[in-house]
Amino acid sequence: MRALTWHGKHDVRMDTVPDPEIVNPRDAVIKVTSTAICGSDLHLYDHYIPTMQAGDILGHEFMGEVVEVGAKSTLKKGQRVVVPFTISCGSCYHCNKHQYSACPNGLPADNQDIARQPYGHEMAGLFGYSHMTGGYAGGQAEYVRVPFSDVGPIVIPDGVPDDKVLFLSDILPTGWQAAEYAEIEPGDTVAVWGCGPVGLFAIQSAFLMGAERVIAIDHFPNRLALAKRFGAETINFEESATYDALMTMTGGIGPDAVIDAVGLEAHGLFLDNVIDQIKASTFLGTDRIHALRQAIIACRKGGRVSMPAVYGGFVDKFPLGAFMEKGLTLKTGQTHVQHYMPGLLNAIMEDKIDTEFLISHRMPLEDAPKGYKMFHDEQNETTKIVLKTA
Ligand SMILES: NC(=O)c1ccc[n+]([C@@H]2O[C@H](COP(=O)([O-])OP(=O)(O)OC[C@H]3O[C@@H](n4cnc5c(N)ncnc54)[C@H](O)[C@@H]3O)[C@@H](O)[C@H]2O)c1
Ligand SMILES: [Zn+2]
Ligand SMILES: [Zn+2]
């Protein structure tokens, strides 16, 4: 089959690789029909996430048709499913708490030690996202093996187009969880850093959860325009100082909740960001946490910080004093996708959530390397790329 494989920084290629097979009785094999490129994939493309190996198949946002099932799969051949990016067993201590992205059982035994050393625990298995998360082949491919297929994939009703439901695999639940973690109360003002796919779904979700005002921060005019479309007020951080603008907009109090939907590759010519960048490029540091710092400094006293953004390593200049003195709380994590999928599928079917607005480009899977370059280099014009198999 054809698949998008990683070979190093800014080097992804379409290769012919062996077809996946059923390995365990709970597996299914999916023929991918649509798959998307994620902001998280850019962290791999820029080689910030460790434990990648040449030839790894990328992709964790995908859907398709069930073509093979193991003896214990509950899926049936021919069903259309969206697959969550988290590989979770459904019955362990964490899965029983619906903390699916904490499930340790998706991780093959020989990958468990990789994350234990830096994080204290093993991570969950994820599709197409390094060997620290299991080394699973991802879904930017013609076919993919889906472990625990009786737990993860959600069956899509006939007649609902792929583009309407594909984002159930990651970014829609991620934006929703980000808003939920912001513990929004009616009347709240919520500030969202980053108007990428995650930020834009967090904005829609925040309004649905009762936020009175959402203030969106980015520097790409097209992305800010999408945020405006959902009713957000906007700050272009290249045109005005974000902290000052937020204080003016909130009468000096600051937003009740702040959401960091930027992540470890923050943009902007700010002193702390430049230092982080130099440290990252000389292997003295990993993450550029400028947006998170700014969010903590701007958040009102007693407010909430939600951090869907991905970070990988150790950081300095974390404003711990501000965080403590202002009495903030922080919630974060990989999304517990399986927990949110059924409710969000209903919300899509009832037209409460718009998903298709996000897609700026559709292209054949064969053009995936071009898609990565566009999503990386032209973020203003490229909000989300969906790759289609033949
Ligand atoms: N927690 C999870 O399970 C999960 C799932 C999916 C994605 N993510 C993470 O969420 C983050 C966002 O994902 P995405 O797909 O929307 O990515 P993206 O790269 O498309 O969007 C990031 C946006 O942040 C903006 N930005 C950069 N620097 C900024 C700054 N200083 N201030 C304000 N905005 C700034 C960029 O211009 C861009 O529009 C990434 O870190 C991604 O890895 C997490
Ligand atoms: Zn993703
Ligand atoms: Zn589990």
Side-chain angles (χ1 to χ4, degrees), residues 21-29 68-73 105-106 136 145-149:
E21 291 172 356
I22 300 285
V23 177
N24 294 312
R26 292 168 72 185
D27 289 353
V29 173
E68 270 183 72
V69 288
K72 290 188 178 165
S73 174
N105 291 334
Y136 285 99
R145 175 173 83 91
V146 176
F148 302 131
S149 66

Side-chain angles (χ1 to χ4, degrees), residues 37-43 60-61 85-86 129 170-171 174 177 192-200 217-220 223 237 242 260-268 270 273 290-291 294 307-311 332-337 375 379 382-384:
I37 305 174
C38 178
S40 297
D41 291 326
L42 293 181
H43 305 328
H60 59 270
E61 300 182 0
F85 76 90
T86 39
Y129 216 76
D170 176 356
I171 48 171
T174 296
Q177 179 179 280
V192 180
W193 274 255
C195 297
V198 171
L200 290 165
I217 303 143
D218 206 301
H219 61 142
F220 292 124
R223 291 181 174 216
F237 68 76
T242 303
D260 170 8
V262 175
L264 61 88
E265 297 184 65
H267 310 162
F270 307 100
N273 204 30
H290 170 75
Q294 205 169 50
M307 191 180 89
V310 163
Y311 293 100
T332 182
Q334 298 284 358
T335 306
H336 306 302
V337 182
F375 193 51
Q379 288 212 317
T382 316
T383 45
K384 192 75 179 174

Side-chain angles (χ1 to χ4, degrees), residues 249-267:
M249 291 161 100
T250 58
I253 288 179
D256 300 288
V258 294
I259 297 178
D260 170 8
V262 175
L264 61 88
E265 297 184 65
H267 310 162

